[in-house]
Amino acid sequence: MAVLEILKYPDPRLHLVAQPVAIVDERIRQLVDDMAQTMYEAPGIGLAATQVNVHEQVIVIDVSDDKSTLEVFINPKIIALSDEAIDHEEGCLSVPGVFETVERPDTVTISALNRDGDPYEKVCSGILAVCIQHEMDHLQGKVFVQYLSRLKQSRIKSKMVKLERQGA
Ligand code: NI
């Protein structure tokens, strides 16, 4: 396994749209394992392949307290969304140090493939619902700060560019 480099906002590669995985083979399983290690090492609770500059539809998530429950979503699709919405403070490994409130549906039903390539469905609520929607946005080339006002976005952008220059 390997720790991969995480792209930082406003890197334009974060806005590329990920393609579906054609076949879940050893290459994809290696990617899943490397992404999991990268996420745990960061540490974070979710990571999309887009963030490690691989533009295929792969997501890893672990929202458990003891980091014992890795969830793998390959080619995820939303098949149902609740009408109820929740506000949640989000952060992102590609936008370090920035935490902002985003409103999203509070329950989503997802269909996806697991690490073995087998299809499954999962009803996600609470923090898992927030996380899977955040990560699926990444696969569409969308970073959570794009839900914020233009003013906030440009402030965050300058802050990130400045940090980058300082070599942080
Ligand atoms: Ni993120």
Side-chain angles (χ1 to χ4, degrees), residues 51 91-93 134-135 138:
Q51 293 177 275
C92 180
L93 294 175
H134 174 118
E135 303 309 336
H138 275 303

Side-chain angles (χ1 to χ4, degrees), residues 117-165:
D118 298 324
Y120 70 101
E121 283 185 16
K122 181 163 182 120
V123 179
C124 305
S125 58
I127 180 74
L128 182 56
V130 171
C131 194
I132 186 68
Q133 292 178 83
H134 174 118
E135 303 309 336
M136 285 179 72
D137 279 349
H138 275 303
L139 298 182
Q140 292 304 312
K142 186 167 183 177
V143 179
F144 83 110
V145 297
Q146 292 174 262
Y147 287 100
L148 308 174
S149 69
R150 285 186 178 279
L151 178 64
K152 269 194 175 170
Q153 286 184 51
S154 68
R155 278 187 189 151
I156 291 167
K157 219 172 260 181
S158 356
K159 182 179 162 184
M160 289 300 136
V161 170
K162 204 169 150 190
L163 277 176
E164 185 68 33
R165 274 203 215 105

Side-chain angles (χ1 to χ4, degrees), residues 22-163:
I23 178 164
V24 180
D25 55 10
E26 271 315 306
R27 181 182 68 89
I28 294 297
R29 277 188 275 277
Q30 185 66 54
L31 173 64
V32 165
D33 295 345
D34 290 346
M35 283 174 60
Q37 195 186 0
T38 304
M39 172 183 74
Y40 288 125
E41 181 108 350
I45 60 171
L47 190 69
T50 307
Q51 293 177 275
V52 293
N53 200 28
V54 175
H55 302 284
E56 293 178 80
Q57 296 176 10
V58 178
I59 289 169
V60 294
I61 290 178
D62 188 341
V63 293
S64 68
D65 289 334
D66 60 356
K67 300 295 165 210
S68 62
T69 315
L70 180 68
E71 306 198 55
V72 178
F73 298 85
I74 297 168
N75 299 346
K77 287 183 186 61
I78 293 177
I79 55 178
L81 279 175
S82 63
D83 295 330
E84 300 288 305
I86 42 164
D87 284 338
H88 200 278
E89 188 171 82
E90 298 186 18
C92 180
L93 294 175
S94 293
V95 200
V98 173
F99 299 91
E100 295 283 350
T101 299
V102 176
E103 184 187 85
R104 298 182 187 271
D106 86 344
T107 306
V108 288
T109 307
I110 303 291
S111 74
L113 304 176
N114 65 17
R115 191 179 173 282
D116 296 320
D118 298 324
Y120 70 101
E121 283 185 16
K122 181 163 182 120
V123 179
C124 305
S125 58
I127 180 74
L128 182 56
V130 171
C131 194
I132 186 68
Q133 292 178 83
H134 174 118
E135 303 309 336
M136 285 179 72
D137 279 349
H138 275 303
L139 298 182
Q140 292 304 312
K142 186 167 183 177
V143 179
F144 83 110
V145 297
Q146 292 174 262
Y147 287 100
L148 308 174
S149 69
R150 285 186 178 279
L151 178 64
K152 269 194 175 170
Q153 286 184 51
S154 68
R155 278 187 189 151
I156 291 167
K157 219 172 260 181
S158 356
K159 182 179 162 184
M160 289 300 136
V161 170
K162 204 169 150 190
L163 277 176

